[in-house]
Amino acid sequence: MARKVLVILILAALVATGAFAQKNSITYDVGPTLVGLGFNALENIIPEDGVSGNGLGFAFQYERNLFKMLSVAGRFAYLSINGGYTDNSYGINLGLDMNMSSYSIEGHVRYYPFFGSFFLDGTLGYANFSAAFNGQALIDNIPRVISFDESGNYMKVGAKIGWRISLGSNGGFTIEPAFGYYHGIALGDSVGQKFSDRVPGEGDVKNLFDMFEKLMFVGGPRLSLGFGWSF
């Protein structure tokens, strides 16, 4: 009998807490947008003729509080950068166009240990990273056509801390600064490995792909700033 009463009390407490704490939040993260805008200024940053660049990035998130201390969230993020380089100083038209992009679908579990705005976030998701290079370059003083277009799939895991700050007593305009780290686990060959298989001996370029995967498009440190609405 005592056990049944205890179970009923626990269930009642959970239901009451959930009914009190249920909240929805929709936010737009400007972090990927700022990365994309940075590449729009690439030709002004690199003092070389023939350099061009542009980028686009965005991320949306929906969060649902299950209880006052616990919530779940879904997030979609996209980042694309394009760059180009042309050189006519050798008497022939050399140039290279580059495009790299990624998108991710993430699930988040958040814990609010102090019943306030501060949270701990655990992430598990899927990411796709693709890279394409096309053009003509001098290799061993011989003009050669370069054509590479590959993509890779990754499992994405990570953690971050942040603050969900609502400017109203029952929600309203919301600001969400957060920072953390993501790690990508290749599901099969990574884009860098695929390049290495197709162009043996180009270890520096493989390392460049690996760096982009690990630090920008799939994993790496993350500083985000979300703006949205809680209701």
Side-chain angles (χ1 to χ4, degrees), residues 152-169:
N153 301 305
Y154 303 80
M155 183 171 68
K156 190 173 182 177
V157 296
K160 63 179 180 178
I161 63 173
W163 295 261
R164 186 183 64 187
I165 305 168
S166 296
L167 303 184
S169 58

Side-chain angles (χ1 to χ4, degrees), residues 2-182:
R3 184 179 298 177
K4 290 182 179 180
V5 172
L6 180 60
V7 171
I8 291 172
L9 288 175
I10 292 174
L11 290 175
L14 290 175
V15 171
T17 304
F20 173 78
Q22 283 180 359
K23 180 187 289 187
N24 303 280
S25 297
I26 298 175
T27 54
Y28 174 84
D29 182 8
V30 302
T33 304
L34 295 177
V35 174
L37 290 175
F39 276 88
N40 289 335
L42 188 65
E43 53 194 273
N44 297 322
I45 297 173
I46 300 178
E48 291 283 346
D49 293 334
V51 173
S52 62
N54 61 80
L56 172 67
F58 57 84
F60 291 97
Q61 178 177 283
Y62 169 73
E63 180 184 4
R64 170 74 169 177
N65 274 85
L66 302 178
F67 308 106
K68 194 170 184 180
M69 296 178 66
L70 184 69
S71 73
V72 293
R75 174 183 165 95
F76 176 83
Y78 175 81
L79 177 64
S80 174
I81 63 172
N82 302 281
Y85 179 73
T86 58
D87 186 355
N88 297 312
S89 59
Y90 293 90
I92 55 177
N93 185 25
L94 301 177
L96 190 64
D97 292 321
M98 173 194 72
N99 173 266
M100 289 187 288
S101 65
S102 70
Y103 67 87
S104 64
I105 302 170
E106 306 162 12
H108 295 253
V109 176
R110 288 185 170 183
Y111 175 59
Y112 292 82
F114 308 120
F115 294 93
S117 62
F118 175 75
F119 62 80
L120 305 172
D121 181 302
T123 304
L124 178 64
Y126 163 81
N128 177 274
F129 171 56
S130 61
F133 285 81
N134 291 284
Q136 182 172 256
L138 283 180
I139 301 177
D140 296 330
N141 293 320
I142 301 174
R144 298 182 185 274
V145 174
I146 298 175
S147 180
F148 174 79
D149 188 352
E150 290 287 355
S151 65
N153 301 305
Y154 303 80
M155 183 171 68
K156 190 173 182 177
V157 296
K160 63 179 180 178
I161 63 173
W163 295 261
R164 186 183 64 187
I165 305 168
S166 296
L167 303 184
S169 58
N170 269 330
F173 181 70
T174 300
I175 303 173
E176 188 182 292
F179 62 92
Y181 190 89
Y182 290 143

